[in-house]
Amino acid sequence: LVQLEESGGGSVQVGGSLRLTCRASGYVPARRCMGWFRQTPNKEREPVAVLNIGDGSTYYADAVKDRATFAPDEGENTVYLQMDNLNPDDAGMYVCGTTGGTLFCDLSSRRFAYWGQGIQVTVSS
């Protein structure tokens, strides 16, 4: 089993920045995908960014690709998502996910087996 702990988020003004952190613990495969998804009111998970821990490749949703950075952070099995120039469409529940051992990653949530509790992001004008 893998556990995910998210931190960061909160309330941000339009045009501001946020940094979300996700730490994985438990049995964590060295080669895996980690991702941030935004959960819609009907519980669907829209991809924001995915990171291939094995080779460092990153994948971003079109809506954030020019203003987001998803990368490993200091600390074991920890990653961060930095988003800049936030707008009201960025608001929502952000959920961190990870896959089992895999060499292939993309923006699809179907590969992800483990999820965090989610963290709320509010964007205000």
Side-chain angles (χ1 to χ4, degrees):
L1 285 178
V2 177
Q3 294 82 42
L4 297 172
E5 181 179 358
E6 302 133 324
S7 60
S11 182
V12 183
Q13 289 193 322
V14 170
S17 299
L18 66 77
R19 182 182 174 105
L20 302 178
T21 301
C22 180
R23 179 179 174 274
S25 61
Y27 176 70
V28 182
R31 297 181 185 273
R32 67 189 186 280
C33 315
M34 292 197 72
W36 282 99
F37 294 78
R38 190 174 64 200
Q39 187 165 291
T40 64
N42 62 358
K43 305 299 184 184
E44 292 183 359
R45 295 184 177 121
E46 299 176 340
V48 178
V50 171
L51 170 66
N52 185 324
I53 295 296
D55 65 12
S57 300
T58 50
Y59 307 86
Y60 297 98
D62 288 343
V64 306
K65 63 182 178 180
D66 295 327
R67 53 191 180 90
T69 300
F70 189 24
D73 202 356
E74 295 182 5
E76 186 176 9
N77 296 325
T78 304
V79 294
Y80 76 91
L81 173 69
Q82 172 83 23
M83 289 180 59
D84 301 316
N85 194 21
L86 290 168
N87 61 67
D89 291 338
D90 295 318
M93 176 70 75
Y94 283 70
V95 184
C96 178
T98 191
T99 64
T102 183
L103 297 176
F104 180 78
C105 301
D106 60 18
L107 288 172
S108 173
S109 65
R110 61 186 172 85
R111 298 181 182 276
F112 288 75
Y114 305 100
W115 299 95
Q117 293 296 312
I119 194 162
Q120 190 69 37
V121 172
T122 303
V123 181
S124 59
S125 56

